[in-house]
């Protein structure tokens, strides 16, 4: 069996060593395509792969056409908006993700962004504190739960909105349920977004929601830029000088922010929520193990294209 690890944004060395160990212990060959510049390079590398591990790398029909032997692709991470699931099914390729494995890293990034922002970028400017402030978790999956857990340590007052999660689960994880999304944005000075990007969620956070946020609002988006309606975001920034936006990664309208709203935003250069050694090890090794289990015992847990 040949496993290709195709990561435009490479895993840490320590993770690569462990991914290699898992594959080689199973008798599989492993090769790496890292830091590649375009789909052509992936197309050229995938032709003899039986399995592939990717991160946010696009897996399209074109890639799958070239992957003549491919049986399984595992997205080492949670969000799978980069996988064309219909095309995977059409090519008889099993698609999986590794949910939960990088969630703590993303949750910690939320606070790294927030603390830097509310302490004025560590310039000596007077800042503010988190204790007693309201935090809204927009979606309460793996990342949302970790964020709630960390926020408890800061003494924040946690709320959550998620149509797929019960009040009991929220309560057990330290958050009070909001019955609708309007209530979440109305109640919470800080709102942290943790929903996937899909046809329903894309552009779902716009002006009407944002205008409900209390004074000194801070919107944190470590999910996907696509879930924000950028026209609405710009409108709220134009109207309210007390509004901040912290995001992993920059919106398409980044240039407007740079020109008009210095000091009220932080955008990461490259998506880095999951970019820790621990997270790379967790998700990369999980992906390798899922591939080994799939070939050795037919295990299809975490299959996305049923
Ligand atoms: C995820 O969905 O798991 C995160 O966004 C991580 O993405 P990355 O693997 O590209 O860092």
């Amino acid at each position: 069996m040949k496993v290709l690890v195709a990561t435009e944004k490479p895993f840490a060395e320590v993770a690569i060593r462990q991914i290699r160990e898992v594959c080689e212990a199973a008798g599989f060959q492993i090769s790496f395509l890292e830091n590649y510049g375009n789909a052509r390079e992936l197309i050229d590398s995938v032709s003899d792969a039986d399995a592939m591990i990717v991160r946010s790398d696009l897996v399209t029909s074109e890639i799958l056409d070239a992957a003549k032997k491919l049986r399984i692709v595992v997205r080492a991470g949670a969000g799978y908006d980069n996988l064309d699931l219909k095309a995977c099914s059409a090519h008889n390729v099993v698609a999986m993700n590794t949910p939960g494995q990088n969630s703590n890293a993303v949750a910690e990034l939320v606070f790294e962004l927030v603390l830097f922002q509310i302490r004025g970028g560590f310039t000596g400017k007077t800042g503010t504190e988190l204790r007693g402030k309201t935090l809204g978790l927009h979606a309460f999956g793996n990342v949302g739960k970790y964020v709630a857990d960390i926020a408890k340590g800061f003494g924040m007052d946690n709320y959550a909105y998620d149509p797929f999660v019960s009040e009991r689960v929220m309560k057990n994880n330290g958050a009070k349920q909001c019955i609708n999304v309007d209530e979440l944005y109305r109640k919470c000075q800080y709102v942290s977004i943790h929903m996937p990007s899909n046809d329903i969620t894309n552009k779902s956070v716009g002006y009407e929601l944002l205008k409900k946020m209390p004074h000194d609002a801070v919107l944190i988006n470590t999910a996907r830029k696509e879930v924000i309606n950028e026209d609405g975001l710009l409108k709220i920034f134009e109207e309210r000088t007390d509004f901040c936006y912290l995001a992993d990664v920059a919106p398409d309208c980044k240039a407007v922010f740079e020109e008009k709203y210095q000091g009220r935003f932080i955008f990461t250069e490259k998506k880095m929520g999951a970019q820790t050694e621990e997270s790379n090890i967790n998700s990369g090794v999980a992906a390798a193990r899922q591939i080994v289990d799939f070939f050795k015992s037919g295990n299809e847990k975490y299959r996305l294209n049923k």
Side-chain angles (χ1 to χ4, degrees):
M1 290 295 163
K2 289 190 176 171
V3 180
L4 172 68
V5 180
T7 49
E8 184 274 322
K9 184 172 56 189
F11 289 120
E13 279 302 318
V14 58
I16 289 171
R17 269 200 305 281
Q18 295 188 32
I19 294 166
R20 182 185 288 283
E21 275 168 23
V22 171
C23 290
E24 290 181 349
F28 295 1
Q29 285 176 38
I30 186 161
S31 61
F32 291 84
L33 173 70
E34 297 177 321
N35 289 310
Y36 58 94
N38 54 55
R40 187 73 252 162
E41 288 180 61
L42 179 50
I43 286 170
D44 291 342
S45 305
V46 79
S47 58
D48 63 346
D50 301 284
M52 179 160 70
I53 296 174
V54 296
R55 295 185 61 178
S56 289
D57 309 76
L58 291 181
V59 179
T60 60
S61 255
E62 201 190 3
I63 306 291
L64 294 163
D65 284 344
K68 298 275 180 249
K69 296 175 67 191
L70 197 69
R71 302 259 315 276
I72 176 168
V73 57
V74 183
R75 192 280 192 247
Y80 49 88
D81 44 316
N82 54 317
L83 307 182
D84 183 336
L85 291 185
K86 279 200 183 121
C88 286
S89 298
H91 287 78
N92 286 322
V93 171
V94 170
M96 295 185 185
N97 65 347
T98 65
Q101 300 292 347
N102 56 22
S103 306
N104 183 63
V106 179
E108 288 191 14
L109 181 67
V110 170
F111 290 92
E112 286 149 7
L113 293 168
V114 166
L115 293 173
F116 188 81
Q117 178 66 27
I118 69 171
R119 287 301 185 109
F122 306 149
T123 56
K125 193 176 151 200
T126 301
T128 54
E129 301 179 22
L130 290 176
R131 183 166 299 280
K133 303 287 164 54
T134 47
L135 171 67
L137 285 323
H138 190 165
F140 205 65
N142 292 313
V143 183
K145 288 180 190 129
Y146 275 112
V147 173
D149 190 47
I150 299 169
K152 268 189 284 172
F154 279 106
M156 298 188 85
D157 190 12
N158 296 339
Y159 293 85
Y161 169 74
D162 191 323
F164 304 104
V165 177
S166 70
E167 183 177 13
R168 188 178 50 82
V169 168
M170 290 177 184
K171 197 170 164 219
N172 290 346
N173 288 277
K176 283 165 269 192
Q177 185 186 43
C178 289
I179 50 161
N180 56 48
V181 70
D182 284 27
E183 184 190 351
L184 187 85
Y185 281 74
R186 191 164 30 77
K187 277 200 167 122
C188 297
Q189 180 188 346
Y190 291 80
V191 172
S192 191
I193 299 176
H194 299 294
M195 59 193 169
S197 162
N198 57 40
D199 290 347
I200 295 165
T201 60
N202 285 349
K203 292 191 192 298
S204 65
V205 179
Y207 180 74
E208 290 305 319
L209 275 182
L210 298 176
K211 77 174 186 195
K212 296 187 165 62
M213 288 181 73
H215 192 69
D216 286 339
V218 180
L219 179 69
I220 310 114
N221 179 10
T222 53
R224 292 290 184 273
K225 68 177 179 181
E226 286 80 3
V227 302
I228 303 291
N229 178 322
E230 295 193 10
D231 290 340
L233 181 68
L234 288 175
K235 190 166 178 212
I236 204 81
F237 262 71
E238 197 61 50
E239 283 179 11
R240 284 178 54 175
T241 54
D242 65 311
F243 206 102
C244 289
Y245 182 48
L246 317 177
D248 179 32
V249 304
D252 293 334
C253 58
K254 173 184 173 189
V256 183
F257 277 82
E258 286 175 339
E259 189 198 324
K260 296 167 85 172
Y261 304 123
Q262 285 297 337
R264 293 171 53 197
F265 67 90
I266 302 175
F267 303 144
T268 54
E269 285 298 318
K270 194 158 183 144
K271 188 160 177 49
M272 57 161 297
Q275 204 56 337
T276 64
E277 288 184 352
E278 293 87 344
S279 155
N280 285 182
I281 293 169
N282 292 344
S283 56
V285 169
R289 288 202 178 119
Q290 285 170 217
I291 286 171
V292 171
D293 273 7
F294 171 74
F295 284 113
K296 300 267 183 200
S297 58
N299 190 344
E300 294 196 355
K301 192 174 174 192
Y302 303 120
R303 182 172 180 159
L304 299 164
N305 57 337
K306 299 258 156 61

